Every structure is written in C-alpha cells, then in structure tokens.
Amino acid sequence: MNVKERIDKELNMIYMDENLKKRIRSSCSKKKSYKLLTSIAASLAIIVLAGGTAFAGYYALSRITVNEEETPELSQMYAVDAESINGNIDEYGMSDKDYSDYESIKREIGIPLLDTELSQNNPYMRGHIMTDNKDFAIITVDNYVLGDTSNYIYNSEEERYFYNSGEEYTSSVSLSIDIMLSKEQEVNGWTVDYLGMYKFVESYISDQGYKVNILEDQTDENVRDYVSEKCAVFVKDGIRYTLKGRIPLESMKEIINSLKY
C-alpha cells in the first residue's frame, strides 16, 4: 500500500470536509511537508486545523482526544504574534521551510520558545515550519533530543537519519509546536485526535507548574524488550508542545522538567 492509499484509508475513517482532506494529502505528498502526519503505519496522529477559512466552525475547542475520548484539559491556547515565514508556497497558500537546527527556527519565528540543554550540540536535527502566515504555524523538529542513540547516518533519498538505539533511548525524541496566529483561530480552536494504538496514561504537573498529558502506544506485553512510544503534550504561554519518543516515562519527564526559555 503506497502513502496516498494509506492516507485515503485513514481519512475515510474520519469525517472531514474535502478541502481539509486535500490539504492533508497535499502536505503528505511533498517530502518537505510530510511531517503534518506522523507515524502513519503505526498509529495515525492527525492534526486537525479549525482555521478561519475553509475550516471555520469545524471544531469549537482546542482539545486532545485519544480515539475520540477527551484527555484532561490543558492550559488554554491563544493567538501570539509571530514573524511571517518566507518559505515555499503551495497552491493552498501554505508556506513551508526546512531548518538544520532549532535555534534558526526560534530566530525566524520571532517568539520565545521553550528549549532544553539536553538538545544542545546536536548536528542531527531536522527542523520544519509549515504555516499559512495568517492563522497557524506548525513547527516540527526530528531528533530534537538524542539521548544515548548513536551512529547517525543521513539517507538523502528519504531525507532523514537512521541510527542505532541506545540502552535508555530506543529512539530519539521529536518535538512539535502548534502556534495560533489569529483571533479567528483562537475562537475556532485546534483539536488533535490520536487514533489507533494510542492510550491515555496520566496527567501530572511539571516542575515549572504546567499540566502535562502523557499518552503512549499500546503493545502486546509479551513483546520482548519493547519500549512504547510516549507522547507528552502541554501548553505554555498559549503555545502547545508535543514531545514524542520511544523512551522510559521518567526520561520523558526529565526532558520536560528541563525545558525553559
């Protein structure tokens, strides 16, 4: 099954208007924009935008659901002032741009973003911004925290790194950031629905004082040496952050507690 067929199969399980489906397919068909959908083969995590154009009124909340069940409410998202991104513009008015490090993203977006010393001196990051420069911006950073993974080799055909798992980190940890840019987006909300093998694990308060929701993929307990993928989601100063990786829960909490401006 090719990528388009996978996307069509998953989208048929969810009610969306055709404009939204076209934008998601368009984003996934381009290598530079594929990060709008993550882990298609394992368990689809669709980011649904309720923007101020074709998406107006689609959702009324900015909530996180797991297989249509709501997780505990996080802090409120709200619109922030960010710089426009002069990237490649597609037929739907979406601008996307690649980056080799997180510092360049922070400078270009022009707003304070959380970061951790655990991500420093890392030459293997693959950053990306997708935005309409009006209602929303999505930042993704692959290989944000490496932990004890090793032997990174870049595959130019797939435009990503392959690497060896460590004893603690089965995978590197990725970062995604959802930013509202307009009052229209704020009113309409921004919902994320994790579908498939994900389950809600817990909510807790980080050392910095914000609520964090932890999700993980569900696996057969009989699978030997398997480390589930953890997703940590929280909102700080109106901006939603998601950390994702196959690492122990305590290691994920360590990263979260190290985040600061």
Side-chain angles (χ1 to χ4, degrees), residues 43 63-74 192-205 211-219 228-234 249 253 256:
S43 49
R63 65 184 189 270
I64 306 294
T65 66
V66 180
N67 293 311
E68 300 184 350
E69 298 209 2
E70 289 190 34
T71 59
E73 185 177 357
L74 298 173
V192 179
D193 194 9
Y194 290 83
L195 304 177
M197 295 301 293
Y198 280 102
K199 66 178 180 180
F200 171 73
V201 176
E202 66 170 286
S203 281
Y204 77 99
I205 304 300
K211 182 185 285 188
V212 182
N213 285 345
I214 300 290
L215 318 176
E216 70 175 343
D217 65 356
Q218 304 178 74
T219 59
S228 65
E229 182 177 75
K230 314 296 189 304
C231 295
V233 188
F234 63 91
L249 180 56
K253 290 183 176 181
I256 292 167

